[in-house]
Amino acid sequence: QVRERLKKQVVEMKEKFPGFTPGLAILQVGNRDDSNLYINMKLKAAAEIGISANHIKLPNTATEADVLKCIASLNGDPAVHGFIVQLPLDSDKPIDTEKITNAVAPEKDVDGLSSINAGKLSRGDLGDCFIPCTPKGCMELIRQTGIQVAGKRAVVVGRSKIVGAPMHDLLLWNHATVTTCHSKTSTLAEEVGKADILVVAAGKPEMVKGEWIKPGAIVIDCGINHVPDSTKASGKRVVGDVAYSTAKEKASYITPVPGGVGPMTVAMLMQSTVESAQRFLEKFQPGKWNIQYNRLTLKMPVPSDIEISQSCIPKPIDQVAKEVGLLPDEMELYGQTKAKVHLSVLKRLKNQPDGKYVVVTGITPTPLGEGKSTTTVGLVQALGAHLNQNVFACVRQPSQGPTFGIKGGAAGGGYCQVIPMEEFNLHLTGDIHAITAANNLVAAAVDARIFHELTQTDQALYNRLVPSVNGVRKFSDIQIRRLQKLGINKTDPTTLTKEEVNFFVRLDIDPGTITWQRVLDTNDRFLRKITIGQSPTEKGFSRTAQFDITVSSEIMAVLALSDGLDDMKKRLGRMVVASSKKGEPVTADDLGVTGALAVLMKDAVKPNLMQTLEGTPVFVHAGPFANIAHGNSSVLADKIALKLVGKEGFVVTEAGFGADIGMEKFFNIKCRYSGLRPHVVVLVATVRALKMHGGGPAVTAGVPLPKEYMEENLQLLAKGCSNLNKQIQNARMFGVPVVVAVNAFKTDTKAELALVVQLAKEAGAFDAVECTHWAEGGKGAVALARAVQRASQTPSNFRFLYNVELPVIDKFRLIAQQIYGASDIELLPEAQKKVALYSKQGFGNLPVCMAKTHLSLSHDPEQKGAPTGFILPIRDIRASVGAGFLYPLVGTMSTMPGLPTRPCFYDIDLDPVSGEVNGLF
């Protein structure tokens, strides 16, 4: 009856909450036959009822720490509603059973064995605890008799924690007068004879005699004992703690052994699991996070970013992880405010539908920026803390170069920040340092290989590359790959011919073709051109080289576009560092460095979890340049976030620079490799930038704004909206609805803001809204959030701008004409040579990543608005083969910024007493 009732309840649960299934986990240590039997009974019952049961079996070599780690994982798994540890624990190692049972989360402890559940039962909190299954089954059997428990005299024989003690409490709180007897009770027969209800759990065969029992008593026999019986094949039979044959003559109801309490115990385990699932559903809506948001205390005027950041106490990051459905073993804590998230979460959630995918981009900005990061954070705070939606922000990790240079930090601003901002803007978890180390290892390998090839014979090189160890020579795996690439299908180093040895040991790098530079995560203009190899030990081999800033390294772009460790390793191996003197590409794999790079990057590939001021989750991962690279955070962070938010949730990511650069690359490069399809584009615009595009004076960082930007000027503003119009069209070209976020400044007038909203809608935006999130946090972006929700419900007919199979020049021309407004392109001689080279080397089918100024739709930063009819000059082309794109160079640009006259670090200091960072912005 119980099982049939539970089966119906589970069906109703699944109908009401599609995709939801009650979950039971059974943790076993060792391989005891009796435990295996009991577990199989439980698994069979769960399957019959419709409960998803998972049997976790640890070996008998498991330690207490192993068991506790497994329990912690199951405690944190939202798909597990009931969880039992099968006793006894069959381990060779000492394990404290009490410690193990108390480690089970009380809300999942369907065996009712934890001290918390036992304590609640003893206090009579029956509606707020789990009762051990055997006493619960006994109570259900007693109820089935129809006899009222209240007022009856009950006797419990036995005082174990599993049956006797909780049975006493259960009868007591059902208003029986209860006596507990045990092995030391001297008048046991007399006490038993008084019982209207008798429950025996003493563990002694047929200890209670039939003649002791009061006529008409209810007898519940919990004992299972084996006694010798020569008539049985096994030589023994099972009996209870009560002499059944005589007791049944006096009892009104009695449970047989076997077949009485045992099946009820299993049924009660199933009932407790279903009850736990029901409690879960009452507390949590399936697919909805139970998340604690931080309430902002807004101040006017708005304090500095660091003051706001440090005034907010972040939630412990393991709490944030738990709130969004991450399991304890799926993260690595880096202190209290940041954590790495394991890629294994993708495997666990592979069947979970993705949420809605939103990209934040902007109009062509002023040098001051127009608030994309602030809008990204404001939007997720509005969706999460104010509209109660599952939402993740996915943002890039900033470089320390701009943080200490002229731009400052990139954590957002005002009341829309990722916190703690000093952690966000500085070392974070060391990903950029790992990229620096990996990049410079490649650079060192390139120059060392050239040096060794110049100074050694073929045989000397071969002897060092494939040394004899204990008389045995063996190729490494990466050397086998090089041999296969050369068409040499041999695995025995002693069988190579002299010609094959020559091919194998000589990369024959042409120094003039080296494209791989050393990097440093600091703005240092004096490293833009250097000479290396001047020590006498380098025997006269020197060359001109340079340092770039770390975030411009191809390894950063590889990290951002990889979809797993294996993919990252393959991309690292494919990176082209130079050409040979025959014009063949030389890769990191040819240098033999791929495995070492993967080892250096093994932790960096895991996204970093942080939070916003209002407590919404954020992934901070990867930060590639937006000119020579694609300027977007990682594919992996987006994919994990989309699974965690679920079907109705939102993931908001940001694309660098304006829509003509970051958004175009987000669509044509990032979405092409990730396979993800965006639902909404949020286009950030400001009155300030639009006035500049209308012909306003130059806007310069560190210089007060001219008066034209401080006074109302609708004519100038309307003229500048040509840029807004063009960027809206650029977004719509990809088939995605556009919501314009007008980021309001205190100098903007109502008429100006209203004009931008009006013109944006006329230009084809799905909606346009004024936003005040910088000053008001998520509250100031609620209208934007609602617009994004509505836009996400409309069809998204996403499409790429070009087919990668097109000739290289045609792809350049399509972007220049369709996105920038050019009439045509012009390839300068060096670019023409590279088109021929990369096409010959087999890289012509890669996507295109245009490297041009972000301050204009054209190649000329002085051309504002929406220029047309210009010729786009392409002076050179480079290949990031590992990352997977060609990047044409339009105009000149530096990949190593310099420090200004007054860098940001003048204002940064450390309080020696509190250890707090001051002045960072």
Side-chain angles (χ1 to χ4, degrees):
Q1 290 174 12
V2 172
R3 290 188 185 191
E4 285 302 315
R5 171 167 48 81
L6 293 176
K7 197 184 297 185
K8 289 177 183 176
Q9 289 177 355
V10 170
V11 168
E12 290 170 2
M13 217 180 285
K14 291 178 177 179
E15 287 174 351
K16 188 174 180 182
F17 302 99
F20 179 81
T21 301
L24 172 66
I26 303 172
L27 176 59
Q28 178 185 11
V29 178
N31 194 36
R32 283 175 59 117
D33 290 339
D34 54 351
S35 291
N36 291 335
L37 178 65
Y38 298 144
I39 289 169
N40 285 335
M41 289 168 58
K42 293 165 187 175
L43 294 173
K44 184 179 177 182
E48 179 190 327
I49 290 164
I51 294 170
S52 173
N54 183 20
H55 178 200
I56 302 97
K57 199 169 187 176
L58 299 180
N60 59 7
T61 55
T63 64
E64 186 174 89
D66 295 332
V67 180
L68 290 171
K69 182 181 178 183
C70 189
I71 289 173
S73 176
L74 292 166
N75 282 342
D77 189 342
V80 174
H81 308 108
F83 169 24
I84 69 167
V85 178
Q86 184 68 41
L87 300 177
L89 299 168
D90 179 26
S91 175
D92 297 342
K93 306 292 190 299
I95 297 180
D96 183 343
T97 301
E98 185 82 2
K99 187 175 182 181
I100 295 301
T101 54
N102 279 322
V104 177
E107 67 273 15
K108 297 187 178 186
D109 174 31
V110 287
D111 249 350
L113 299 183
S114 68
S115 296
I116 289 176
N117 277 318
K120 287 182 176 181
L121 173 59
S122 70
R123 292 194 329 181
D125 297 336
L126 304 188
D128 188 35
C129 72
F130 284 111
I131 298 163
C133 297
T134 299
K136 189 173 183 178
C138 294
M139 202 68 211
E140 184 67 23
L141 286 167
I142 293 167
R143 288 196 189 100
Q144 289 291 321
T145 67
I147 296 172
Q148 290 293 319
V149 175
K152 296 292 189 294
R153 182 180 291 273
V155 172
V156 178
V157 182
R159 53 183 173 178
S160 72
K161 294 178 182 178
I162 295 175
V163 183
M167 193 71 231
H168 172 280
D169 294 337
L170 194 54
L171 286 162
L172 181 67
W173 292 112
N174 277 275
H175 312 298
T177 302
V178 189
T179 300
T180 298
C181 299
H182 44 77
S183 59
K184 304 297 183 183
T185 303
S186 58
T187 56
L188 181 59
E190 182 182 335
E191 295 298 335
V192 168
K194 298 174 185 176
D196 300 313
I197 300 170
L198 176 65
V199 181
V200 187
K204 293 185 178 180
E206 300 183 330
M207 181 183 76
V208 175
K209 310 306 178 186
E211 56 267 25
W212 298 358
I213 294 170
K214 179 180 179 180
I218 299 171
V219 179
I220 308 292
D221 188 352
C222 302
I224 299 179
N225 308 285
H226 293 90
V227 295
D229 187 340
S230 58
T231 66
K232 302 291 184 182
S234 63
K236 57 187 177 181
R237 61 187 171 90
V238 176
V239 298
D241 291 353
V242 178
Y244 181 79
S245 59
T246 54
K248 71 177 181 178
E249 301 302 326
K250 298 187 73 174
S252 59
Y253 296 91
I254 186 169
T255 57
V257 177
V261 172
M264 282 302 293
T265 299
V266 175
M268 289 302 103
L269 173 62
M270 300 302 122
Q271 181 167 308
S272 291
T273 301
V274 172
E275 288 171 358
S276 180
Q278 288 169 333
R279 291 178 192 177
F280 176 85
L281 291 173
E282 288 169 7
K283 192 174 180 182
F284 309 100
Q285 294 180 45
K288 279 286 185 186
W289 297 337
N290 184 33
I291 190 165
Q292 174 191 323
Y293 296 110
N294 299 329
R295 181 171 292 182
L296 297 178
T297 303
L298 304 176
K299 293 182 180 180
M300 291 298 289
V302 177
S304 70
D305 290 350
I306 189 118
E307 285 180 76
I308 294 171
S309 175
Q310 292 180 344
S311 71
C312 177
I313 300 174
K315 295 179 289 186
I317 201 64
D318 57 343
Q319 178 185 332
V320 176
K322 184 177 180 182
E323 288 173 341
V324 302
L326 288 165
L327 307 185
D329 60 358
E330 290 174 340
M331 61 178 178
E332 297 168 20
L333 299 180
Y334 280 65
Q336 293 294 309
T337 57
K338 53 190 188 289
K340 283 279 185 190
V341 174
H342 290 201
L343 306 188
S344 60
V345 69
L346 280 172
K347 184 177 180 182
R348 176 172 67 86
L349 298 177
K350 63 182 179 181
N351 295 323
Q352 168 94 319
D354 288 347
K356 304 294 175 60
Y357 198 25
V358 180
V359 61
V360 176
T361 185
I363 62 169
T364 305
T366 68
L368 305 178
E370 308 318 307
K372 291 194 310 297
S373 298
T374 305
T375 302
T376 298
V377 176
L379 175 56
V380 298
Q381 290 184 164
L383 283 165
H386 297 268
L387 298 182
N388 199 33
Q389 299 294 306
N390 293 358
V391 61
F392 240 106
C394 292
V395 300
R396 290 184 292 168
Q397 179 183 354
S399 163
Q400 285 180 189
T403 298
F404 291 114
I406 194 169
K407 182 176 180 290
Y415 287 103
C416 296
Q417 296 186 51
V418 180
I419 58 170
M421 68 171 293
E422 57 269 40
E423 299 281 351
F424 176 89
N425 284 310
L426 299 177
H427 304 286
L428 196 59
T429 57
D431 294 352
I432 290 181
H433 301 317
I435 291 166
T436 302
N439 184 98
N440 292 343
L441 178 62
V442 177
V446 169
D447 289 309
R449 188 57 175 260
I450 294 173
F451 172 78
H452 291 308
E453 288 187 23
L454 284 172
T455 56
Q456 295 181 54
T457 64
D458 288 357
Q459 193 58 47
L461 281 169
Y462 193 59
N463 290 342
R464 287 177 171 85
L465 286 170
V466 194
S468 175
V469 179
N470 297 325
V472 177
R473 301 181 90 172
K474 185 180 178 182
F475 291 123
S476 66
D477 290 344
I478 202 165
Q479 290 176 327
I480 294 288
R481 287 205 299 273
R482 172 152 174 79
L483 288 168
Q484 290 170 346
K485 179 179 176 180
L486 294 169
I488 302 171
N489 296 313
K490 295 179 180 179
T491 57
D492 182 352
T494 63
T495 61
L496 266 64
T497 66
K498 285 187 177 181
E499 185 181 30
E500 288 171 338
V501 166
N502 174 266
F503 287 157
F504 174 73
V505 301
R506 297 214 173 264
L507 300 180
D508 205 21
I509 294 170
D510 179 352
T513 67
I514 296 172
T515 54
W516 198 268
Q517 309 299 344
R518 288 163 173 82
V519 298
L520 187 70
D521 195 35
T522 301
N523 288 4
D524 191 345
R525 66 191 318 123
F526 287 93
L527 294 178
R528 289 172 178 169
K529 190 172 185 180
I530 60 172
T531 303
I532 61 172
Q534 295 195 8
S535 168
T537 55
E538 272 49 76
K539 302 180 181 180
F541 171 67
S542 65
R543 68 180 181 89
T544 301
Q546 69 187 56
F547 267 82
D548 295 336
I549 197 159
T550 298
V551 290
S552 71
S553 168
E554 183 177 351
I555 295 177
M556 176 63 91
V558 164
L559 173 66
L561 289 169
S562 296
D563 69 1
L565 269 172
D566 185 56
D567 183 49
M568 181 181 72
K569 186 177 175 182
K570 289 175 181 174
R571 288 175 180 271
L572 291 170
R574 290 198 299 265
M575 295 186 306
V576 174
V577 300
S579 293
S580 70
K581 289 171 184 173
K582 293 179 181 177
E584 297 295 323
V586 177
T587 66
D589 223 39
D590 292 326
L591 286 167
V593 76
T594 305
L597 298 181
V599 169
L600 286 170
M601 294 293 293
K602 71 180 178 63
D603 292 319
V605 77
K606 304 166 190 169
N608 305 296
L609 179 66
M610 295 188 76
Q611 63 192 289
T612 68
L613 283 167
E614 296 193 49
T616 57
V618 181
F619 275 139
V620 184
H621 199 216
F625 254 30
N627 47 26
I628 67 165
H630 63 292
N632 286 265
S633 59
S634 79
V635 165
L636 279 167
D638 291 1
K639 284 190 169 184
I640 293 173
L642 284 162
K643 292 297 182 188
L644 288 170
V645 299
K647 187 177 180 180
E648 301 303 320
F650 290 84
V651 170
V652 182
T653 189
E654 177 193 344
F657 292 157
D660 55 309
I661 300 180
M663 182 196 72
E664 180 270 318
K665 295 173 183 179
F666 170 82
F667 289 143
N668 281 323
I669 298 175
K670 184 176 181 180
C671 290
R672 195 184 298 270
Y673 282 121
S674 70
L676 300 173
R677 297 295 178 261
H679 294 79
V680 185
V681 170
V682 173
L683 184 69
V684 180
T686 62
V687 168
R688 175 182 67 193
L690 293 171
K691 284 181 176 178
M692 178 194 71
H693 287 295
V699 175
T700 306
V703 176
L705 284 172
K707 65 180 180 61
E708 286 86 348
Y709 297 99
M710 314 300 285
E711 300 170 352
E712 184 176 288
N713 190 330
L714 298 179
Q715 185 177 358
L716 189 68
L717 179 61
K719 186 179 177 185
C721 280
S722 60
N723 185 272
L724 173 63
N725 190 329
K726 174 57 179 165
Q727 298 288 32
I728 291 171
Q729 300 312 314
N730 283 344
R732 294 186 67 199
M733 203 176 297
F734 293 91
V736 184
V738 184
V739 174
V740 173
V742 186
N743 190 15
F745 293 0
K746 62 183 179 181
T747 53
D748 302 339
T749 68
K750 288 185 178 180
E752 288 175 328
L753 294 168
L755 179 61
V756 178
V757 167
Q758 175 194 331
L759 294 178
K761 290 179 181 178
E762 291 176 2
F766 174 86
D767 202 352
V769 291
E770 176 188 339
C771 304
T772 54
H773 45 273
W774 179 80
E776 296 184 300
K779 177 185 172 185
V782 168
L784 173 63
R786 292 194 190 282
V788 167
Q789 281 183 301
R790 292 193 303 272
S792 72
Q793 302 301 321
T794 63
S796 174
N797 302 310
F798 177 69
R799 54 189 173 271
F800 299 118
L801 181 66
Y802 55 82
N803 187 323
V804 289
E805 303 296 325
L806 286 174
V808 172
I809 295 175
D810 289 354
K811 288 181 280 193
F812 297 169
R813 183 174 288 114
L814 268 171
I815 295 172
Q817 293 177 336
Q818 299 292 316
I819 302 296
Y820 306 153
S823 59
D824 206 349
I825 60 172
E826 178 188 11
L827 264 66
L828 301 183
E830 187 61 30
Q832 293 176 25
K833 283 167 55 179
K834 292 292 178 61
V835 167
L837 174 66
Y838 293 141
S839 297
K840 176 187 173 186
Q841 291 181 337
F843 306 139
N845 289 342
L846 292 175
V848 171
C849 182
M850 300 288 264
K852 78 168 187 71
T853 178
H854 63 292
L855 297 174
S856 171
L857 280 162
S858 75
H859 58 285
D860 179 0
E862 301 304 317
Q863 282 196 304
K864 305 301 181 183
T868 58
F870 57 90
I871 303 293
L872 189 79
I874 297 174
R875 65 178 179 85
D876 198 358
I877 304 167
R878 306 273 171 80
S880 287
V881 179
F885 52 75
L886 300 177
Y887 61 99
L889 303 180
V890 180
T892 58
M893 62 197 67
S894 173
T895 47
M896 172 54 84
L899 290 172
T901 305
R902 192 183 192 284
C904 293
F905 61 63
Y906 272 75
D907 302 303
I908 298 172
D909 202 359
L910 184 73
D911 186 316
V913 178
S914 68
E916 282 192 348
V917 175
N918 298 318
L920 190 67
F921 67 91

